[in-house]
Structure formats: C-alpha cells, structure tokens
C-alpha cells in the first residue's frame, strides 16, 4: 500500500523506506545529497550519545542540519532514562521528526558505557528509557535493535526484549536481522559474519501484528526491499545507500508512488552544487562535503575520473566549487542512465 505524506508526523509516513544511521557516513552533507535523490525516504543522523549533547561541544556540531533533510530522525546512544528523555526533548525542540534509541551498535567503545547492542541483554532498562522518552516528547520514539547478542536465543530472548519494551509503550522497532557477537568479533565483522535471519523478523511481525516491525541488514536492491515490504512494515538500507547512492533515485516512484526528484545522476549532482556552495560559505572544507558524492557515478563512463579528480584535489587548501565542476566535467552525460533503466 502506498503511503501518503502527512504534516503531523512526517516520520511515520516516510518510514516505509529509510537510510540507516551510520557513523562517519550519514552526516548532514550526505543527507543533503540523499535529498537530491529522494524526497520521501526517512533519513537518520549518525548515532549521537547523550553525553555529547548534554556535556559536549556546542550542540550545533551534533544536532545541526539543513531544512532540506526532513523528514529526519535523530539516533541517540545511551542507557540512562533521564538523560535520554532530556535529549529527546532537545531533539524535538531542534525540529527533528523522530528520535531513535540505538540498541544495535556492536562497538566495544560504546559497550563500556552501556550503549548499543549490549542493551539487548537489558530489556527492562530499554523499556524504562523508551517510556521516559515518550513522556518527554510528542514525536515518535523508536528502537533499532538486533535479533540478539552473543549466546542469546534468537527466539526466546528477542521475544522477551520486544514484549518488555512494547509493554512499556514502545510501538516501532527496526530490527537488524543478525546477531551481534560482542565477544570475539570486530564491529566490521559484525556487519558480515553473523548470518542474516530475515525469517526471524518475519515471525516477529506475525506474532506482533499491531507493532511496527521494520527490517534492516543486507538489502541492496529496490526489488529486494519491495519483496520484504510484503512481510514487514518498513525496510532500512545502510551501506548500499551510501556506497551506491543512485539506489535512492527510484525510491519515491517504486515505494511511495511519487515522482522522483532526479532524472539523471547529473541532475542530482548539479542540484547538490548549491548546497556545496552554502556549506563552503559556512566554512566547511570541500572534501568533507564532496566525499559523499564519490559513489554517485558508480559504473558510469567517466565515473572513475570523477572520483579521482575529487580525491586528488578536493582536500587542497582553498579548494572550491571549480574543483567539483571540473570533476563533473569528466562524466560522459549522454550515456548516464535514468533510474528506470538502472
């Protein structure tokens, strides 16, 4: 069923397809690029810890975004219910459309602070956090989790986790369909080594028809996303949406029944140019912004030269829009395919 956009809760309307929160990747600059390709998808920030918001540098560094990025969700990392509630209220005041609790990150850096996937072992703590956050805001409070960690039983322990959080008022879950092995595997290995188990997420949805259950993990094509939407309420795509951003170019048509904002990759690249200009005026470095475009012309004639030109020149002192324009000049525009042909 196609979902219309609403103004009351734009995140709820957009959640059918979302781009996963990814550290160092889903920055405000990547999200602005994504908006040249899809107007409808829900975008997420990188995970921001409660400590960074409450006690860190100026909040603009962690919470700043461009208005074009809506609908936009802030992902929080933390476990203290009071601090999470305070940060959720701050997120709402900053204009975010959703606040999401990270219960999936396997990094040992966050485990030590009881953040991320290790919280799968503490469902009561997550439940208390979600309840406190919901009491503090009117925007949706959601949870992104795994199907389990370490030696947990993927059936019984995941069921207990979901039920406990749902009993506290949690209604929206996005489930990364693989375990996180916190002992013995690196964060990178945790993205590939534990096997995906989509069937477990499908069973979870069947068991909890009134909850919103979304699926994350390993999705690489819109065909695969459309297929999963027959079984779950939403899909979330991570690395493929970053490394091959053109994947997003047909999301609005395929999954929302709306017009795509860009007909060609060059359309998107040129639309992004005005955003780059604004960021340069604000003092941003060219390479910090344009690094997110390196995969835009993947597989296109001139794509390799585009990437090389930016990689070799965008970091130079004083690099400006002319470097980006010269990189675009490497692309053979007549042979760039439209989304329908990709």
């Amino acid at each position: 069923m196609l979902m219309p956009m609403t103004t009351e809760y734009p995140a709820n309307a957009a959640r059918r397809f979302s781009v996963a929160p990814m550290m160092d990747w889903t920055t405000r600059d990547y999200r602005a690029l994504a908006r040249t390709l899809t107007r409808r998808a829900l975008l997420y920030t990188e995970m921001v810890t409660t400590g960074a918001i409450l006690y860190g540098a100026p909040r603009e560094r962690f919470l700043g975004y461009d208005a074009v990025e809506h609908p936009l969700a802030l992902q929080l990392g933390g476990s203290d219910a009071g601090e999470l509630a305070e940060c959720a209220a701050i997120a709402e005041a900053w204009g975010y459309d959703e606040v999401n609790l990270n219960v999936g990150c396997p990094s040992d850096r966050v485990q030590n602070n009881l953040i991320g996937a290790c919280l799968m072992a503490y469902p009561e703590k997550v439940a208390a956090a979600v309840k406190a956050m919901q009491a503090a805001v009117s925007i949706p409070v959601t949870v992104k989790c795994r199907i389990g960690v370490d030696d947990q039983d993927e059936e019984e322990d995941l069921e207990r986790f979901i039920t406990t959080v749902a009993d506290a008022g949690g209604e929206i879950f996005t489930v990364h369909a693989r375990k996180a092995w916190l002992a013995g595997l690196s964060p990178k290995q945790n993205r590939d080594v534990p096997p995906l188990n989509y069937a477990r997420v499908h069973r979870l949805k069947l068991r909890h028809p009134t909850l919103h259950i979304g699926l994350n993990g390993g999705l690489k094509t819109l065909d695969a996303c459309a297929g999963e939407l027959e079984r779950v309420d939403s899909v979330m795509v991570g690395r493929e949406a970053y490394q091959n951003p053109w994947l997003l170019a047909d999301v609005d048509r395929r999954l929302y029944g709306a017009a795509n904002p860009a007909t060609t990759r060059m359309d998107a690249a040129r639309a992004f140019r005005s955003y780059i200009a604004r960021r340069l005026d604000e003092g941003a470095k060219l390479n910090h912004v344009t690094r997110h475009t390196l995969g835009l012309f993947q597989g296109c004639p001139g794509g390799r030269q585009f990437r090389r030109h930016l990689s070799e020149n965008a970091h130079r002192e004083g690099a400006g829009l002319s470097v980006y324009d010269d990189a675009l000049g490497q692309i053979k525009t007549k042979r760039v395919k439209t989304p329908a042909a990709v």
Side-chain angles (χ1 to χ4, degrees):
M1 181 177 67
L2 297 178
M3 301 178 64
M5 294 296 286
T6 67
T7 55
E8 183 179 5
Y9 285 140
N12 283 339
R15 192 172 292 109
R16 183 174 177 83
F17 179 98
S18 62
V19 177
M22 294 174 283
M23 293 301 293
D24 299 322
W25 285 8
T26 51
T27 68
R28 62 186 300 176
D29 298 322
Y30 167 77
R31 299 189 306 260
L33 172 66
R35 280 291 174 239
T36 69
L37 300 165
T38 172
R39 298 280 191 264
R40 299 299 183 110
L42 178 62
L43 303 181
Y44 282 80
T45 68
E46 306 167 89
M47 181 188 72
V48 182
T49 65
T50 54
I53 294 174
L54 298 177
Y55 314 113
R59 287 175 181 166
E60 173 68 24
R61 174 183 170 187
F62 301 106
L63 299 179
Y65 62 88
D66 192 283
V68 72
E69 297 172 40
H70 288 293
L72 179 62
L74 174 70
Q75 186 182 67
L76 289 174
S79 56
D80 181 274
E83 291 184 347
L84 284 165
E86 184 176 356
C87 288
I90 292 170
E92 183 172 40
W94 274 69
Y96 281 91
D97 302 299
E98 173 192 306
V99 61
N100 175 268
L101 179 59
N102 184 322
V103 191
C105 179
S107 171
D108 53 5
R109 291 181 298 173
V110 298
Q111 287 179 52
N112 295 332
N113 295 310
L114 207 60
I115 297 173
C118 60
L119 285 172
M120 292 292 299
Y122 302 91
E124 292 81 8
K125 184 175 284 290
V126 175
V130 168
K131 184 175 182 178
M133 293 163 74
Q134 288 182 325
V137 300
S138 60
I139 58 176
V141 174
T142 67
V143 174
K144 184 174 186 293
C145 64
R146 295 274 185 145
I147 59 174
V149 293
D150 295 334
D151 292 324
Q152 282 189 327
D153 185 279
E154 293 180 8
E155 298 294 330
E156 295 181 4
D157 287 312
L158 178 59
E159 178 62 25
R160 185 167 76 91
F161 175 86
I162 295 295
T163 299
T164 301
V165 179
D167 286 347
E171 298 177 336
I172 303 170
F173 300 85
T174 299
V175 185
H176 187 156
R178 65 171 100 235
K179 267 192 173 184
W181 286 95
L182 305 181
L185 291 183
S186 69
K188 181 179 180 181
Q189 289 172 316
N190 265 294
R191 293 193 294 266
D192 297 297
V193 175
L196 286 163
N197 189 351
Y198 290 176
R200 179 62 187 97
V201 182
H202 299 161
R203 291 194 298 276
L204 186 67
K205 176 58 188 175
L206 289 173
R207 190 176 180 89
H208 298 277
T210 62
L211 297 180
H212 180 109
I213 303 296
L215 179 104
N216 170 232
L219 295 170
K220 294 184 178 182
T221 69
L222 295 187
D223 284 343
C225 291
E228 288 302 320
L229 286 169
E230 298 293 325
R231 302 175 179 88
V232 296
D233 297 304
S234 61
V235 290
M236 176 182 281
V237 178
R239 283 173 289 169
E240 190 67 19
Y242 184 87
Q243 295 168 342
N244 177 28
W246 190 240
L247 170 77
L248 302 176
D250 207 23
V251 163
D252 291 5
R253 182 187 69 85
R254 284 286 304 275
L255 302 183
Y256 297 89
N260 294 327
T263 302
T264 69
R265 301 172 202 242
M266 189 60 74
D267 287 342
R270 287 170 176 158
F272 192 51
R273 189 182 187 278
S274 60
Y275 174 84
I276 298 173
R278 293 203 307 274
R279 291 289 284 138
L280 292 177
D281 288 343
E282 294 168 358
K285 300 292 187 182
L286 181 68
N287 62 314
H288 291 173
V289 182
T290 58
R291 69 184 177 94
H292 303 291
T293 69
L294 295 180
L296 181 58
F297 293 98
Q298 183 183 127
C300 293
R304 184 177 301 176
Q305 290 83 353
F306 170 81
R307 293 191 298 273
R308 179 183 301 144
H309 189 82
L310 285 180
S311 298
E312 293 178 352
N313 297 284
H315 68 281
R316 298 182 185 277
E317 188 67 29
L321 276 175
S322 62
V323 172
Y324 183 67
D325 292 339
D326 290 343
L328 290 180
Q330 307 296 315
I331 302 299
K332 311 300 188 293
T333 56
K334 290 184 179 180
R335 295 177 62 186
V336 177
K337 297 178 180 179
T338 63
V342 171

